[in-house]
Amino acid sequence: MIAAGDALTQQRMGPFRANVAPAAVMAPQSFDAFRLEQIRAGLSCSPGLAIGTTGLFVTGLSGEITLIPGGERVDVTVTIEAGKSLPGIGPILAVEGSMGVQPRPFELDLGVALSVLSIEVARTEAKVTTNSFRASIQFEAIFFNGSAEINAFTRNGRATFTGSARVSLEVRKGSIVRAGKCFGRIRLCPPPIPPFSTGKLASRRRYG
């Protein structure tokens, strides 16, 4: 975003049409009047840039630079996908990583999201400042899901640590194959898998 301008009148512009009432005119006075606040750029490609012989490709790269005084920040996002994909579903595996840095006051943000068949199954985030650290992870699979978090910070000159974790187990009817979902031209329509549901079993722990 660029913002610049100043109010001029015909009187300030000279004797031209001196008998006409002054009218405001917007015009930049100098390049100092312009202020560049943000710069954004992004690139995406298919199949992407190969990462050695891993079978993974960099398919997206984007970034943003914030230049607002006192709020300077740099953010970068990278998308990595497996070379193989399923028609109508997407890549078998995809990872999206992000990083943001703010120098004043110092703050570092990190994030990674993992998707399998276009379904997000895990996400982790971390934040680092001059006197604290926080990290969290969330995951979800067919039959279980959970999360964990850890915090470290300084309070009254003393280091303090806290943490928590949660895991739950639940079997849901049709979580693998929904009832009535057919495959192929032969119209194979299996029953829901699994064919039953169970209650949720959960465990929680807190530390600090």
Side-chain angles (χ1 to χ4, degrees), residues 60-63 73-80 95-101 108-114 123-127:
L61 177 63
S62 63
R73 183 179 175 88
V74 177
D75 292 279
V76 178
T77 301
V78 179
T79 303
I80 299 175
V95 178
E96 182 176 273
S98 62
M99 181 183 70
V101 180
L108 174 64
D109 296 304
L110 301 171
V112 177
L114 173 65
R123 174 177 292 272
T124 180
E125 297 177 345
K127 179 186 290 290

Side-chain angles (χ1 to χ4, degrees), residues 10-180:
Q10 290 175 341
Q11 287 180 334
R12 290 176 58 186
M13 294 172 64
F16 178 70
R17 300 185 66 184
N19 295 327
V20 179
V25 179
M26 296 300 296
Q29 292 304 289
S30 67
F31 286 104
D32 293 336
F34 288 86
R35 185 177 64 194
L36 185 63
E37 295 184 344
Q38 287 183 327
I39 301 174
R40 297 188 185 98
L43 172 68
S44 61
C45 53
S46 180
L49 305 177
I51 304 177
T53 58
T54 62
L56 301 175
F57 297 81
V58 177
T59 59
L61 177 63
S62 63
E64 178 178 307
I65 301 176
T66 302
L67 302 174
I68 300 175
E72 296 88 347
R73 183 179 175 88
V74 177
D75 292 279
V76 178
T77 301
V78 179
T79 303
I80 299 175
E81 298 179 354
K84 296 182 179 181
S85 62
L86 297 180
I89 297 179
I92 296 176
L93 178 70
V95 178
E96 182 176 273
S98 62
M99 181 183 70
V101 180
Q102 177 180 295
R104 295 176 297 180
F106 174 76
E107 183 177 291
L108 174 64
D109 296 304
L110 301 171
V112 177
L114 173 65
S115 298
V116 177
L117 298 178
S118 298
I119 300 176
E120 184 175 304
V121 296
R123 174 177 292 272
T124 180
E125 297 177 345
K127 179 186 290 290
V128 181
T129 67
T130 54
N131 58 1
S132 68
F133 170 80
R134 176 182 179 274
S136 64
I137 182 172
Q138 297 178 341
F139 60 89
E140 183 172 353
I142 297 175
F143 297 134
F144 65 93
N145 60 76
S147 62
E149 180 177 313
I150 183 173
N151 296 277
F153 53 91
T154 303
R155 176 183 294 174
N156 298 326
R158 298 180 59 184
T160 303
F161 299 89
T162 63
S164 63
R166 177 190 62 83
V167 177
S168 63
L169 174 65
E170 180 183 13
V171 177
R172 289 174 291 182
K173 182 177 180 179
S175 58
I176 299 178
V177 177
R178 296 191 304 271

